[in-house]
Amino acid sequence: MNQYVGRFAPSPTGELHAGSLACALASFLDARAHNGIWLIRIENIDPLREKPGAIEHQLELLERLEMHSDRPIFYQSERLDAYQKTLKKLVQQKLVYGCSCSRKSIKEQQQLLGLPSNVYPGTCRNRTDNRAIRAWRFKVKNETISFQDRICGYFEQNLEKEVGDFVLKRADGFWAYQLAVVCDDAFQGVNHIVRGQDLLDNTPRQIALQQSLGFSTPSYMHIPLVLGEDGNKLSKQNNAKPINPTEIEQALLSAWNHLGFNSFPCDDLTQFYQRATLLWKEKYGLQII
Ligand code: GLU
């Protein structure tokens, strides 16, 4: 087997919270349990949603928790040329097209065709007029894309029916997460992805892109989300409470418990990670495909 390469890839839309810490810990332990490389990648491609100070807070906490990236920290903001080249390649392959729909016109089309609000109706797929291009969309196929998740098991999606042609470059000129994540996982040689279950249904889109670009598909493990008191997923957008740097050890233990493990006595972080890695390996070590 190739060397395991995993990553933690936070977006700086807010500080590190209990949910993102659980993802950081799970991906870190999984990499250690497989003698792998663990990378930190800052997904800062959306300046409109970036929160000042968030990157510093995330990195400071990871540093204090002694979760060190095995290679220099990677910033997606430095990869814009690579995303442009990838888009160009997909345009040349006729797998991507320019879309001039506004939100309003998409909504009207969806209502007309009786489609759910998350499915793009394909309006611009075969257009021949010269209306200005706003966004660039990936042309999906009417086929089932499936994968075996290490926690959630078998998952499948028909992209045409459930998602529609999805955006790779947004109308405001910024890059979409789907394109950036696929380019960088491939570029960094990431072959094991451990992240939150909110991204489970994004995975078939990423697999479709990987297939079109000739990239191999990593193995996936989507961990349960940390829910807030209101039962909703904690997210930076709904102002999840940032982890207080003076309470990180407690936060680390809560993340560990959230991942389904009991606490155990230990004196310091080194001991904690040693024992936690062994326990993780017992539970998940044999699952690597
Ligand atoms: N940047 C994404 C987030 O913070 C995670 C991306 C991923 O793990 O694929 O939600």
Side-chain angles (χ1 to χ4, degrees), residues 16-38:
L16 204 74
H17 56 71
S20 35
L21 179 58
C23 293
L25 180 63
S27 60
F28 180 73
L29 292 178
D30 201 53
R32 285 175 58 114
H34 297 93
N35 298 321
I37 288 178
W38 183 74

PDB file of all heavy atoms in Angstrom, residues 16-38:
ATOM      1  N   LEU A  16     -11.888  27.563  15.705  1.00  0.00           N
ATOM      2  CA  LEU A  16     -12.040  26.121  15.927  1.00  0.00           C
ATOM      3  C   LEU A  16     -13.097  25.886  17.007  1.00  0.00           C
ATOM      4  O   LEU A  16     -13.049  26.506  18.068  1.00  0.00           O
ATOM      5  CB  LEU A  16     -10.693  25.562  16.390  1.00  0.00           C
ATOM      6  CG  LEU A  16     -10.428  24.086  16.151  1.00  0.00           C
ATOM      7  CD1 LEU A  16     -10.141  23.814  14.683  1.00  0.00           C
ATOM      8  CD2 LEU A  16      -9.234  23.623  16.972  1.00  0.00           C
ATOM      9  N   HIS A  17     -14.073  25.026  16.722  1.00  0.00           N
ATOM     10  CA  HIS A  17     -15.108  24.714  17.720  1.00  0.00           C
ATOM     11  C   HIS A  17     -15.103  23.206  17.976  1.00  0.00           C
ATOM     12  O   HIS A  17     -14.296  22.471  17.380  1.00  0.00           O
ATOM     13  CB  HIS A  17     -16.475  25.216  17.250  1.00  0.00           C
ATOM     14  CG  HIS A  17     -16.903  24.692  15.919  1.00  0.00           C
ATOM     15  ND1 HIS A  17     -17.276  23.392  15.718  1.00  0.00           N
ATOM     16  CD2 HIS A  17     -16.974  25.292  14.706  1.00  0.00           C
ATOM     17  CE1 HIS A  17     -17.587  23.205  14.448  1.00  0.00           C
ATOM     18  NE2 HIS A  17     -17.397  24.338  13.803  1.00  0.00           N
ATOM     19  N   ALA A  18     -16.027  22.766  18.856  1.00  0.00           N
ATOM     20  CA  ALA A  18     -15.994  21.348  19.254  1.00  0.00           C
ATOM     21  C   ALA A  18     -16.097  20.407  18.054  1.00  0.00           C
ATOM     22  O   ALA A  18     -15.446  19.355  18.023  1.00  0.00           O
ATOM     23  CB  ALA A  18     -17.118  21.072  20.246  1.00  0.00           C
ATOM     24  N   GLY A  19     -16.887  20.782  17.044  1.00  0.00           N
ATOM     25  CA  GLY A  19     -17.058  19.923  15.869  1.00  0.00           C
ATOM     26  C   GLY A  19     -15.782  19.839  15.048  1.00  0.00           C
ATOM     27  O   GLY A  19     -15.361  18.756  14.622  1.00  0.00           O
ATOM     28  N   SER A  20     -15.151  20.993  14.819  1.00  0.00           N
ATOM     29  CA  SER A  20     -13.934  20.939  14.001  1.00  0.00           C
ATOM     30  C   SER A  20     -12.797  20.262  14.764  1.00  0.00           C
ATOM     31  O   SER A  20     -11.969  19.570  14.171  1.00  0.00           O
ATOM     32  CB  SER A  20     -13.523  22.305  13.454  1.00  0.00           C
ATOM     33  OG  SER A  20     -13.784  23.351  14.321  1.00  0.00           O
ATOM     34  N   LEU A  21     -12.792  20.407  16.093  1.00  0.00           N
ATOM     35  CA  LEU A  21     -11.748  19.723  16.864  1.00  0.00           C
ATOM     36  C   LEU A  21     -11.915  18.200  16.766  1.00  0.00           C
ATOM     37  O   LEU A  21     -10.927  17.470  16.656  1.00  0.00           O
ATOM     38  CB  LEU A  21     -11.775  20.180  18.333  1.00  0.00           C
ATOM     39  CG  LEU A  21     -10.733  19.499  19.215  1.00  0.00           C
ATOM     40  CD1 LEU A  21      -9.319  19.729  18.690  1.00  0.00           C
ATOM     41  CD2 LEU A  21     -10.830  19.995  20.654  1.00  0.00           C
ATOM     42  N   ALA A  22     -13.161  17.728  16.782  1.00  0.00           N
ATOM     43  CA  ALA A  22     -13.389  16.280  16.653  1.00  0.00           C
ATOM     44  C   ALA A  22     -12.844  15.791  15.305  1.00  0.00           C
ATOM     45  O   ALA A  22     -12.226  14.720  15.224  1.00  0.00           O
ATOM     46  CB  ALA A  22     -14.880  15.956  16.788  1.00  0.00           C
ATOM     47  N   CYS A  23     -13.030  16.584  14.244  1.00  0.00           N
ATOM     48  CA  CYS A  23     -12.494  16.189  12.917  1.00  0.00           C
ATOM     49  C   CYS A  23     -10.971  16.201  12.933  1.00  0.00           C
ATOM     50  O   CYS A  23     -10.324  15.305  12.373  1.00  0.00           O
ATOM     51  CB  CYS A  23     -12.973  17.143  11.820  1.00  0.00           C
ATOM     52  SG  CYS A  23     -14.727  17.028  11.527  1.00  0.00           S
ATOM     53  N   ALA A  24     -10.410  17.236  13.559  1.00  0.00           N
ATOM     54  CA  ALA A  24      -8.946  17.320  13.624  1.00  0.00           C
ATOM     55  C   ALA A  24      -8.401  16.097  14.352  1.00  0.00           C
ATOM     56  O   ALA A  24      -7.481  15.416  13.868  1.00  0.00           O
ATOM     57  CB  ALA A  24      -8.524  18.606  14.340  1.00  0.00           C
ATOM     58  N   LEU A  25      -9.008  15.772  15.503  1.00  0.00           N
ATOM     59  CA  LEU A  25      -8.503  14.656  16.314  1.00  0.00           C
ATOM     60  C   LEU A  25      -8.662  13.326  15.566  1.00  0.00           C
ATOM     61  O   LEU A  25      -7.732  12.513  15.524  1.00  0.00           O
ATOM     62  CB  LEU A  25      -9.244  14.620  17.659  1.00  0.00           C
ATOM     63  CG  LEU A  25      -8.827  13.497  18.610  1.00  0.00           C
ATOM     64  CD1 LEU A  25      -7.356  13.635  19.015  1.00  0.00           C
ATOM     65  CD2 LEU A  25      -9.714  13.477  19.863  1.00  0.00           C
ATOM     66  N   ALA A  26      -9.831  13.115  14.969  1.00  0.00           N
ATOM     67  CA  ALA A  26     -10.066  11.846  14.262  1.00  0.00           C
ATOM     68  C   ALA A  26      -9.076  11.676  13.112  1.00  0.00           C
ATOM     69  O   ALA A  26      -8.482  10.599  12.936  1.00  0.00           O
ATOM     70  CB  ALA A  26     -11.504  11.791  13.743  1.00  0.00           C
ATOM     71  N   SER A  27      -8.871  12.733  12.333  1.00  0.00           N
ATOM     72  CA  SER A  27      -7.967  12.598  11.185  1.00  0.00           C
ATOM     73  C   SER A  27      -6.522  12.407  11.656  1.00  0.00           C
ATOM     74  O   SER A  27      -5.757  11.619  11.090  1.00  0.00           O
ATOM     75  CB  SER A  27      -8.084  13.797  10.235  1.00  0.00           C
ATOM     76  OG  SER A  27      -7.763  14.995  10.891  1.00  0.00           O
ATOM     77  N   PHE A  28      -6.170  13.085  12.739  1.00  0.00           N
ATOM     78  CA  PHE A  28      -4.819  12.988  13.306  1.00  0.00           C
ATOM     79  C   PHE A  28      -4.552  11.562  13.827  1.00  0.00           C
ATOM     80  O   PHE A  28      -3.535  10.947  13.505  1.00  0.00           O
ATOM     81  CB  PHE A  28      -4.714  14.018  14.440  1.00  0.00           C
ATOM     82  CG  PHE A  28      -3.392  14.067  15.141  1.00  0.00           C
ATOM     83  CD1 PHE A  28      -2.276  14.617  14.522  1.00  0.00           C
ATOM     84  CD2 PHE A  28      -3.266  13.596  16.447  1.00  0.00           C
ATOM     85  CE1 PHE A  28      -1.052  14.679  15.188  1.00  0.00           C
ATOM     86  CE2 PHE A  28      -2.050  13.660  17.113  1.00  0.00           C
ATOM     87  CZ  PHE A  28      -0.940  14.199  16.493  1.00  0.00           C
ATOM     88  N   LEU A  29      -5.500  11.032  14.599  1.00  0.00           N
ATOM     89  CA  LEU A  29      -5.304   9.684  15.170  1.00  0.00           C
ATOM     90  C   LEU A  29      -5.312   8.621  14.083  1.00  0.00           C
ATOM     91  O   LEU A  29      -4.548   7.654  14.132  1.00  0.00           O
ATOM     92  CB  LEU A  29      -6.403   9.374  16.198  1.00  0.00           C
ATOM     93  CG  LEU A  29      -6.366  10.195  17.480  1.00  0.00           C
ATOM     94  CD1 LEU A  29      -7.544   9.818  18.369  1.00  0.00           C
ATOM     95  CD2 LEU A  29      -5.042  10.007  18.230  1.00  0.00           C
ATOM     96  N   ASP A  30      -6.176   8.809  13.084  1.00  0.00           N
ATOM     97  CA  ASP A  30      -6.237   7.821  12.013  1.00  0.00           C
ATOM     98  C   ASP A  30      -4.900   7.771  11.259  1.00  0.00           C
ATOM     99  O   ASP A  30      -4.403   6.697  10.929  1.00  0.00           O
ATOM    100  CB  ASP A  30      -7.392   8.144  11.059  1.00  0.00           C
ATOM    101  CG  ASP A  30      -7.814   6.911  10.254  1.00  0.00           C
ATOM    102  OD1 ASP A  30      -8.083   5.860  10.863  1.00  0.00           O
ATOM    103  OD2 ASP A  30      -7.845   7.000   9.009  1.00  0.00           O
ATOM    104  N   ALA A  31      -4.321   8.947  11.021  1.00  0.00           N
ATOM    105  CA  ALA A  31      -3.022   8.994  10.340  1.00  0.00           C
ATOM    106  C   ALA A  31      -1.948   8.327  11.209  1.00  0.00           C
ATOM    107  O   ALA A  31      -1.160   7.506  10.737  1.00  0.00           O
ATOM    108  CB  ALA A  31      -2.636  10.443  10.030  1.00  0.00           C
ATOM    109  N   ARG A  32      -1.948   8.640  12.498  1.00  0.00           N
ATOM    110  CA  ARG A  32      -0.948   8.032  13.394  1.00  0.00           C
ATOM    111  C   ARG A  32      -1.139   6.519  13.496  1.00  0.00           C
ATOM    112  O   ARG A  32      -0.164   5.768  13.529  1.00  0.00           O
ATOM    113  CB  ARG A  32      -1.043   8.653  14.787  1.00  0.00           C
ATOM    114  CG  ARG A  32      -0.442  10.049  14.834  1.00  0.00           C
ATOM    115  CD  ARG A  32      -0.665  10.684  16.187  1.00  0.00           C
ATOM    116  NE  ARG A  32      -0.112   9.902  17.260  1.00  0.00           N
ATOM    117  CZ  ARG A  32       0.896  10.279  18.033  1.00  0.00           C
ATOM    118  NH1 ARG A  32       1.466  11.455  17.846  1.00  0.00           N
ATOM    119  NH2 ARG A  32       1.328   9.511  19.004  1.00  0.00           N
ATOM    120  N   ALA A  33      -2.399   6.099  13.557  1.00  0.00           N
ATOM    121  CA  ALA A  33      -2.675   4.668  13.703  1.00  0.00           C
ATOM    122  C   ALA A  33      -2.197   3.884  12.482  1.00  0.00           C
ATOM    123  O   ALA A  33      -2.017   2.669  12.554  1.00  0.00           O
ATOM    124  CB  ALA A  33      -4.170   4.433  13.915  1.00  0.00           C
ATOM    125  N   HIS A  34      -2.009   4.564  11.360  1.00  0.00           N
ATOM    126  CA  HIS A  34      -1.555   3.884  10.141  1.00  0.00           C
ATOM    127  C   HIS A  34      -0.163   4.336   9.728  1.00  0.00           C
ATOM    128  O   HIS A  34       0.189   4.275   8.545  1.00  0.00           O
ATOM    129  CB  HIS A  34      -2.571   4.117   9.012  1.00  0.00           C
ATOM    130  CG  HIS A  34      -3.913   3.529   9.340  1.00  0.00           C
ATOM    131  ND1 HIS A  34      -4.917   4.247   9.939  1.00  0.00           N
ATOM    132  CD2 HIS A  34      -4.374   2.266   9.219  1.00  0.00           C
ATOM    133  CE1 HIS A  34      -5.955   3.452  10.148  1.00  0.00           C
ATOM    134  NE2 HIS A  34      -5.649   2.251   9.731  1.00  0.00           N
ATOM    135  N   ASN A  35       0.604   4.835  10.707  1.00  0.00           N
ATOM    136  CA  ASN A  35       1.965   5.356  10.459  1.00  0.00           C
ATOM    137  C   ASN A  35       1.978   6.310   9.280  1.00  0.00           C
ATOM    138  O   ASN A  35       2.878   6.284   8.437  1.00  0.00           O
ATOM    139  CB  ASN A  35       2.950   4.208  10.159  1.00  0.00           C
ATOM    140  CG  ASN A  35       3.055   3.283  11.339  1.00  0.00           C
ATOM    141  OD1 ASN A  35       3.067   3.758  12.496  1.00  0.00           O
ATOM    142  ND2 ASN A  35       3.073   1.991  11.087  1.00  0.00           N
ATOM    143  N   GLY A  36       0.948   7.125   9.221  1.00  0.00           N
ATOM    144  CA  GLY A  36       0.800   7.979   8.049  1.00  0.00           C
ATOM    145  C   GLY A  36       1.319   9.394   8.251  1.00  0.00           C
ATOM    146  O   GLY A  36       1.865   9.747   9.296  1.00  0.00           O
ATOM    147  N   ILE A  37       1.135  10.161   7.199  1.00  0.00           N
ATOM    148  CA  ILE A  37       1.489  11.584   7.211  1.00  0.00           C
ATOM    149  C   ILE A  37       0.191  12.344   7.438  1.00  0.00           C
ATOM    150  O   ILE A  37      -0.848  11.980   6.873  1.00  0.00           O
ATOM    151  CB  ILE A  37       2.109  11.950   5.842  1.00  0.00           C
ATOM    152  CG1 ILE A  37       3.498  11.330   5.750  1.00  0.00           C
ATOM    153  CG2 ILE A  37       2.144  13.441   5.605  1.00  0.00           C
ATOM    154  CD1 ILE A  37       4.168  11.582   4.429  1.00  0.00           C
ATOM    155  N   TRP A  38       0.243  13.377   8.250  1.00  0.00           N
ATOM    156  CA  TRP A  38      -0.968  14.173   8.527  1.00  0.00           C
ATOM    157  C   TRP A  38      -0.674  15.625   8.162  1.00  0.00           C
ATOM    158  O   TRP A  38       0.355  16.173   8.568  1.00  0.00           O
ATOM    159  CB  TRP A  38      -1.337  14.043  10.005  1.00  0.00           C
ATOM    160  CG  TRP A  38      -2.598  14.743  10.393  1.00  0.00           C
ATOM    161  CD1 TRP A  38      -3.873  14.343  10.114  1.00  0.00           C
ATOM    162  CD2 TRP A  38      -2.719  15.943  11.164  1.00  0.00           C
ATOM    163  NE1 TRP A  38      -4.782  15.225  10.663  1.00  0.00           N
ATOM    164  CE2 TRP A  38      -4.097  16.213  11.312  1.00  0.00           C
ATOM    165  CE3 TRP A  38      -1.799  16.825  11.744  1.00  0.00           C
ATOM    166  CZ2 TRP A  38      -4.585  17.328  12.012  1.00  0.00           C
ATOM    167  CZ3 TRP A  38      -2.278  17.922  12.444  1.00  0.00           C
ATOM    168  CH2 TRP A  38      -3.662  18.165  12.573  1.00  0.00           C
TER     169      TRP A  38
END
